[in-house]
Amino acid sequence: MTAQISGRPVLRSADELQRIVDEGIAELGISEGHDADARDVIAWAARTFGSKWALTASMQDTVLAHLVSQVAPGTDVLFLETGYHFPETLATRDAVRERYDVNVVDLVPEQTPAQQDETYGKDLFGTNPDLCCLLRKEAPLDEAMERYEAWGSGMRRAEAVTRTGAPQISFDLRRRRVKVAPLAAWSDADVEAYVKEHDVIMNPLLSQGYPSIGCATCTRKVAPGEDPRSGRWAGTGKIECGINL
Ligand code: SF4
């Protein structure tokens, strides 16, 4: 299902959103060492923010998009269409758009890859990946977030050392929005079990040596036993694109 995002709704203040986070944590019984059920977190977000919340999806395993389509159908799912994705990732996005009851919205950078080459020199992802991610991921997401009070992601603590402390509900100080990570506590086995049970759409690259999938230009295959995220921006020292920080 496809939809447009239009208009700029009036959003609650940062103080109010911070208060909503505190109330949500209390309502869902979240505390150190105790996480809420992912479905309850999604239901809370849908009830609290209505159409003013959205998911971001990398179109890797689509578990969160599937869960949300069940608990809160019609939710906006934002896809960062950087212009550098693998064809398999774009096909996964298209399948989600067709099969799941969510609104898939492509967020497109201001410049095409060719225009970016013209402005910043050829292949900015090779010379300055931080700037490339800023232009092609962070800026379009920041612009889209002007329409939302909250955003959800499929981020899991088990995915990377940088994510071990990820809370299920928090206040994103930089964007001044509520950040929701319903799957924060899920292990790889939890994901695997959900995928099997619900026949979730999977990016085929996952079974071809790519356990973490980003832009094709910045993702390489990972050997068995290697850190799953070591294939992202390999050799540059970069480990996150910035949108989850
Ligand atoms: S992952 Fe690579 S190509 Fe994609 S936006 Fe970041 S630097 Fe650019």
Side-chain angles (χ1 to χ4, degrees):
M1 189 172 166
T2 308
Q4 306 289 322
I5 39 178
S6 58
R8 300 235 165 137
V10 177
L11 306 182
R12 285 171 281 194
S13 69
D15 284 350
E16 219 169 325
L17 293 176
Q18 177 73 72
R19 182 182 53 74
I20 287 169
V21 166
D22 296 340
E23 286 173 0
I25 288 170
E27 187 184 324
L28 293 166
I30 297 171
S31 61
E32 204 168 329
H34 183 266
D35 293 291
D37 184 274
R39 290 169 186 79
D40 293 341
V41 176
I42 293 165
W44 172 81
R47 181 165 78 236
T48 306
F49 304 108
S51 60
K52 294 181 197 164
W53 88 295
L55 296 189
T56 54
S58 63
M59 300 303 169
Q60 190 165 296
D61 64 29
T62 85
V63 164
L64 185 58
H66 183 272
L67 248 182
V68 167
S69 74
Q70 306 296 302
V71 180
T75 297
D76 286 349
V77 172
L78 310 179
F79 175 67
L80 292 161
E81 186 13 331
T82 62
Y84 288 117
H85 284 294
F86 289 103
E88 289 88 343
T89 302
L90 299 178
T92 303
R93 172 205 58 188
D94 294 343
V96 167
R97 185 171 268 159
E98 202 178 304
R99 274 178 45 192
Y100 294 175
D101 188 0
V102 290
N103 296 330
V104 177
V105 180
D106 288 337
L107 302 184
V108 181
E110 206 175 296
Q111 293 190 310
T112 64
Q115 288 168 333
Q116 183 170 288
D117 280 354
E118 188 96 345
T119 308
Y120 297 95
K122 192 161 165 48
D123 299 343
L124 185 62
F125 51 82
T127 56
N128 191 341
D130 284 341
L131 179 58
C132 186
C133 278
L134 179 73
L135 296 167
R136 312 202 74 75
K137 292 182 171 181
E138 290 183 62
L141 181 61
D142 285 350
E143 196 193 339
M145 285 311 299
E146 289 177 18
R147 302 173 179 88
Y148 303 101
E149 293 180 330
W151 64 293
S153 81
M155 184 167 59
R156 295 185 298 114
R157 293 175 198 138
E159 283 172 327
V161 283
T162 47
R163 300 179 178 184
T164 50
Q168 284 185 302
I169 303 174
S170 58
F171 186 69
D172 179 346
L173 275 173
R174 191 175 80 72
R175 292 196 179 83
R176 300 170 75 77
R177 299 287 186 271
V178 177
K179 194 167 165 184
V180 184
L183 308 183
W186 282 32
S187 65
D188 292 350
D190 292 331
V191 170
E192 218 172 290
Y194 187 90
V195 166
K196 266 194 198 139
E197 191 183 341
H198 299 279
D199 189 25
V200 168
I201 300 163
M202 300 291 279
N203 189 320
L205 294 174
L206 284 172
S207 54
Q208 294 169 27
Y210 296 89
S212 178
I213 305 163
C215 293
T217 40
C218 299
T219 306
R220 68 153 172 82
K221 276 190 183 184
V222 166
E226 246 188 306
D227 175 353
R229 284 187 65 83
S230 62
R232 305 287 297 278
W233 303 285
T236 68
K238 183 174 167 64
I239 51 174
E240 293 278 4
C241 63
I243 62 173
N244 281 316
L245 297 176

